Amino acid sequence: MEAPAARHTPDPGSVEITVNASEQMRELGRRLAKLLRAGDLVMLSGELGAGKTTLTRGLGEGLDVRGAVTSPTFVIARVHPSLGDGPPLVHVDAYRLSGGLDEMEDLDLDVSLPDSVVVVEWGEGKVEELTDERLQVVIHRAVGDTTDEVRHVTVSGIGDRWATVDLGVLTA
């Protein structure tokens, strides 16, 4: 499958990638998984249907976790244990949560974070206080009545953890 194409690097800690199909979004997730380790928080942002869960499916494949990665919208969070020696994947959909970190604390993400890769969809304003180090993934797509499959993905590393990580490998 063809790799996603880089657009440009907006700043040293970020990379922009153009994705033309859902399989490319999954491939981006598989590539991203190679950079992740236990203790990493990944925040996913984007419109409904942008590809957040598709990207997370690729992360699950790349992390070699058990279970089908599906949207946890109605259960809020799903834990996918590792099939090997890697970290489990905790997949959270914070769309229906409105209480910020207080409401998120009920999910015990602070307990899961040191031993897992935690991916939070719709986490802006809700999980930033969990750690000073996170990966922010913003997915832009055309909205309205369109069949346009093109997505523009910006991946930004925040904090010391990501200062020396070459995000450019996501486009290789």
Side-chain angles (χ1 to χ4, degrees):
M1 174 57 56
E2 180 181 328
R7 290 179 61 210
H8 71 282
T9 302
D11 66 58
S14 297
V15 65
E16 285 193 19
I17 303 154
T18 298
V19 175
N20 295 305
S22 61
E23 180 53 38
Q24 284 185 348
M25 188 66 79
R26 283 176 79 158
E27 176 59 26
L28 177 59
R30 289 188 288 269
R31 289 174 186 266
L32 181 57
K34 294 176 184 176
L35 301 177
L36 298 174
R37 64 183 187 210
D40 285 341
L41 172 65
V42 180
M43 288 179 43
L44 303 179
S45 305
E47 299 87 1
L48 285 170
K52 297 178 294 295
T53 300
T54 301
L55 179 74
T56 306
R57 277 188 196 108
L59 285 172
E61 292 166 6
L63 292 170
D64 192 27
V65 299
R66 186 179 74 216
V69 174
T70 60
S71 178
T73 299
F74 297 104
V75 295
I76 310 300
R78 293 184 196 279
V79 178
H80 298 275
S82 176
L83 292 171
D85 58 358
L89 172 66
V90 178
H91 183 199
V92 179
D93 186 331
Y95 183 75
R96 296 184 322 142
L97 302 179
S98 59
L101 189 60
D102 291 339
E103 194 170 3
M104 294 296 285
E105 283 181 354
D106 292 339
L107 299 176
D108 288 330
L109 292 181
D110 54 337
V111 173
S112 300
L113 187 57
D115 301 318
S116 306
V117 169
V118 176
V119 176
V120 182
E121 298 184 30
W122 305 98
E124 306 80 20
K126 299 174 184 169
V127 298
E128 290 90 342
E129 294 178 32
L130 287 174
T131 179
D132 292 332
E133 302 176 329
R134 63 187 173 277
L135 201 61
Q136 177 71 44
V137 179
V138 180
I139 306 170
H140 295 283
R141 70 170 184 92
V143 293
D145 187 18
T146 180
T147 58
D148 189 355
E149 291 291 321
V150 176
R151 306 295 193 256
H152 300 287
V153 182
T154 303
V155 181
S156 304
I158 299 168
D160 291 342
R161 155 74 174 102
W162 297 101
T164 59
V165 176
D166 179 11
L167 297 176
V169 301
L170 296 174
T171 63

